[in-house]
Amino acid sequence: MTALSHPAGPAGPSFAELYTPKLVTVLREGYGLAGLRADVLAGLTVAIVALPLSMAIAMASGATPERGLYTAIVGGFVVSLLGGSRFQIGGPAGAFIVLVALTIERHGIEGMLLATFLAGAILTVVGLLRLGTYVKFIPYPVTVGFTAGIATIIFSSQIKDLLGLTLSVKEPAEIIPKLEVLTHALPTLNVAALGLSVLTIGIIVGVKRLAPGWPNLLIAVAAASLAAALFGLPVATIGTQFGGIPSSLPAPALPDFSPDKVFAVLPDAAAFALLGAIESLLSAVVADGMTGRRHRSNCELVAQGVANMASALFGGICVTGAIARTATNIRAGARGPIAGMLHSGFLLLFMLVAAPLASYIPLAALAGLLAVVAWNMAEKTAIATLLRSGWGDALVLLSTLLLTIFRDLTEGIVVGFTLGTLLFLHRMSLAVGVEHAHIDVPLAAEDVADETNGYAATTPQVDPDTVVYRLSGAFFFGAASTVGTVLDNIAQLPKRFVLDFEAVPFLDSTAAAMLETFAHKMRRAGVKVVLTGTTPAIRRVLWNQGLRPPLVRFKSRVRDALPARV
């Protein structure tokens, strides 16, 4: 038996290569006046989009509108400064509305700030441990399902302001009780608020269709605000609800790090970190698809982590990569991260100069804006495709969607991921096969009677004392028991048993343990076992499990295991 060798591969990328911000990369490539002009225009365009959206998301999350601006200004700047994507725009995102609102309801604003800071720390550690690539393993039906579930919850949270309803009790967080309370409040419907909501939605949709390059969100909110002020409409505004917004950033302050508080908000922080990682890397992938560039996922997660900690210090909510704003940034001609940094600078300028005007914005207008955001978040085409693609993907999608809506976002993601993993394992087990002579045996076949399962079938061999079985596909725990059944049902034991691994790319410890049991059984029966075609990695697993001479022999090829050469 030849000693196992460990061929030296090419050295992996260094720490500096993995975590150098894309800003540095862009500057090294050469950044001139033309690039700056393009980034100024793109940053201004994104800031105009982000201005009303950031306030609306913060208010829907149960926070005050200025916290959304703090998030976009501070968090967005850090994401672009340190991030691993050239075009990522960071800020508050609609996907976080549900989690942030629940955290504020349970732990208050201070608890939310602590959870945001801790989530940032978690994301930073995840990025430094280079775990960002594992986020990509979340199945597509899970992503579509929880996104559609979040969209449903966002829309339901805006019904009150869309219709201008007056509630006699606090609006429940759970969707069924919420709808019951809203139904009872229908007699208090405010026609003016409903009209402004419809006007806002109509302008957003109309401007996007007729003049795609125009800032439809800002135009719609400005038109609704102007209409409410000119006609003196009796509707709630940011001024009447929150007293306006401040015209400067607050001084940074650490949240309360008392042990009791930390342990209380830790589950919320973990949920923030999980969703933030998914959303930011998904946004970076979308940007890559639009530009042909490649992001550095672990560098991006570190930037998202630092951005969340910075946002919490300034009183902001969760930061993540915003897909719609990132796409707007690219379409506006951005050349690199400086566009994202300028977007934050323009938002700060707007707040310093035009903060008093925000008091006139009707809540119905912001609710209309979020209704459109919710509609766009729900990927209708993807949902229809997944429902048609087969029972497995449909089950994962619907489970994630319904659990997100009626139970909890984290629970929906965990259950969806688990179901997706089981579905993958089932499909992988179907792809593993055993070939005896010229007979292919599917490993996941339906149960049949012992005398008809075909495993005992024999075909004349060149050497009647030698039997060769060929495995194909990933040999893992999902297929180990069935392969064991195939091998145990050999009708007549030969003198020599050859098991060929040439078509096996992977083998785990469960499969190795099954083979060890089989080899001991063959040894007691006086049968020699020869393993052929094993890669160094597979041979290492087998060797560690005890499959080594004299229990088994290793040969390079099947013909090397024939009697004349053994």
Side-chain angles (χ1 to χ4, degrees):
M1 172 68 191
T2 305
L4 295 177
S5 60
H6 303 274
S14 66
F15 181 88
E17 290 170 331
L18 283 176
Y19 295 98
T20 298
K22 285 292 184 177
L23 174 64
V24 175
T25 303
V26 169
L27 294 177
R28 283 174 178 171
E29 292 172 352
Y31 187 80
L33 190 59
L36 179 60
R37 279 198 299 263
D39 282 339
V40 168
L41 180 59
L44 178 60
T45 303
V46 178
I48 290 172
V49 172
L51 180 64
L53 198 54
S54 299
M55 292 189 292
I57 290 172
M59 291 167 56
S61 302
T64 50
E66 69 271 14
R67 294 188 185 276
L69 294 176
Y70 299 160
T71 307
I73 293 169
V74 178
F77 186 87
V78 174
V79 165
S80 296
L81 177 68
L82 302 178
S85 171
R86 289 174 182 255
F87 305 103
Q88 183 88 283
I89 297 296
F96 275 94
I97 288 175
V98 178
L99 288 179
V100 174
L102 289 175
T103 303
I104 291 175
E105 185 177 339
R106 286 193 291 255
H107 307 292
I109 290 293
E110 283 299 318
M112 182 274 295
L113 294 176
L114 177 59
T116 300
F117 190 95
L118 293 176
I122 293 171
L123 283 170
T124 303
V125 171
V126 168
L128 292 175
L129 293 177
R130 305 186 185 183
L131 301 178
T133 51
Y134 293 101
V135 177
K136 301 172 186 177
F137 293 153
I138 294 180
Y140 180 60
V142 174
T143 304
V144 174
F146 81 70
T147 302
I150 290 170
T152 304
I153 296 173
I154 290 174
F155 181 80
S156 70
S157 71
Q158 298 306 302
I159 294 175
K160 170 181 172 291
D161 290 331
L162 282 168
L163 304 180
L165 302 179
T166 302
L167 304 183
S168 57
V169 296
K170 182 180 179 181
E171 185 175 0
E174 296 79 9
I175 192 164
I176 298 298
K178 178 196 297 286
L179 294 177
E180 291 175 350
V181 168
L182 294 173
T183 301
H184 291 146
L186 282 178
T188 66
L189 184 144
N190 185 327
V191 177
L194 176 60
L196 288 177
S197 300
V198 173
L199 175 66
T200 303
I201 295 172
I203 293 176
I204 291 173
V205 175
V207 171
K208 184 176 182 180
R209 182 169 299 177
L210 299 175
W214 291 17
N216 57 341
L217 300 183
L218 186 63
I219 291 172
V221 172
S225 303
L226 186 62
L230 287 178
F231 298 106
L233 299 179
V235 294
T237 65
I238 287 180
T240 61
Q241 187 83 4
F242 302 101
I245 62 172
S247 57
S248 63
L249 285 174
L254 283 170
D256 177 15
F257 280 98
S258 63
D260 290 342
K261 264 290 190 189
V262 169
F263 283 114
V265 304
L266 198 55
D268 301 284
F272 286 176
L274 174 62
L275 185 57
I278 295 171
E279 286 290 311
S280 59
L281 295 186
L282 181 61
S283 177
V285 168
V286 170
D288 290 349
M290 294 178 68
T291 62
R293 300 284 187 173
R294 291 189 62 184
H295 72 280
R296 289 192 281 266
S297 57
N298 293 305
C299 178
E300 183 63 27
L301 288 184
V302 170
Q304 296 287 339
V306 176
N308 274 279
M309 289 188 283
S311 176
L313 291 178
F314 284 89
I317 60 177
C318 292
V319 180
T320 190
I323 297 175
R325 274 159 277 169
T326 298
T328 301
N329 187 41
I330 295 169
R331 293 192 191 103
R335 299 290 180 86
I338 291 177
M341 298 164 67
L342 289 171
H343 129 271
S344 297
F346 283 123
L347 282 175
L348 177 60
L349 181 63
F350 293 159
M351 191 173 73
L352 294 176
V353 174
L357 297 177
S359 300
Y360 296 99
I361 298 177
L363 301 187
L366 296 179
L369 183 154
L370 286 176
V372 175
V373 169
W375 174 261
N376 292 334
M377 278 182 66
E379 301 176 63
K380 283 78 66 180
T381 303
I383 292 172
T385 300
L386 288 170
L387 290 176
R388 291 194 303 265
S389 64
W391 67 267
D393 288 334
L395 175 64
V396 175
L397 168 68
L398 293 176
S399 298
T400 307
L401 171 63
L402 295 176
L403 285 171
T404 299
I405 294 173
F406 295 106
R407 291 284 298 175
D408 177 74
L409 173 62
T410 306
E411 188 173 329
I413 293 176
V414 170
V415 171
F417 180 79
T418 303
L419 289 175
T421 303
L422 293 175
L423 178 64
F424 169 76
L425 295 177
H426 171 70
R427 289 169 174 168
M428 286 293 292
S429 69
L430 292 176
V432 181
V434 177
E435 180 188 3
H436 171 216
H438 301 292
I439 301 172
D440 289 325
V441 182
L443 291 187
E446 294 294 326
D447 289 342
V448 293
D450 289 339
E451 62 271 19
T452 62
N453 62 14
Y455 291 151
T458 59
T459 300
Q461 307 281 317
V462 175
D463 176 10
D465 291 331
T466 301
V467 169
V468 178
Y469 272 75
R470 288 186 172 90
L471 293 173
S472 61
F475 190 10
F476 68 115
F477 64 87
S481 62
T482 315
V483 172
T485 302
V486 173
L487 300 180
D488 287 340
N489 277 287
I490 298 173
Q492 185 175 356
L493 293 179
K495 292 182 179 179
R496 184 176 294 101
F497 187 93
V498 180
L499 195 58
D500 184 40
F501 286 80
E502 188 174 359
V504 177
F506 168 78
L507 177 140
D508 71 359
S509 59
T510 304
M514 183 279 298
L515 289 175
E516 183 194 20
T517 301
F518 172 76
H520 281 293
K521 176 183 175 182
M522 292 296 101
R523 186 180 186 184
R524 289 193 297 269
V527 179
K528 295 179 180 179
V529 178
V530 184
L531 308 181
T532 65
T534 56
T535 64
I538 289 177
R539 199 155 57 245
R540 187 179 299 110
V541 176
L542 295 172
W543 191 272
N544 290 337
Q545 191 62 41
L547 286 156
R548 62 185 72 171
L551 181 61
V552 298
R553 296 183 182 183
F554 290 89
K555 295 294 179 181
S556 299
R557 298 167 296 180
V558 172
R559 65 181 178 180
D560 294 335
L562 295 180
R565 304 192 180 189
V566 175

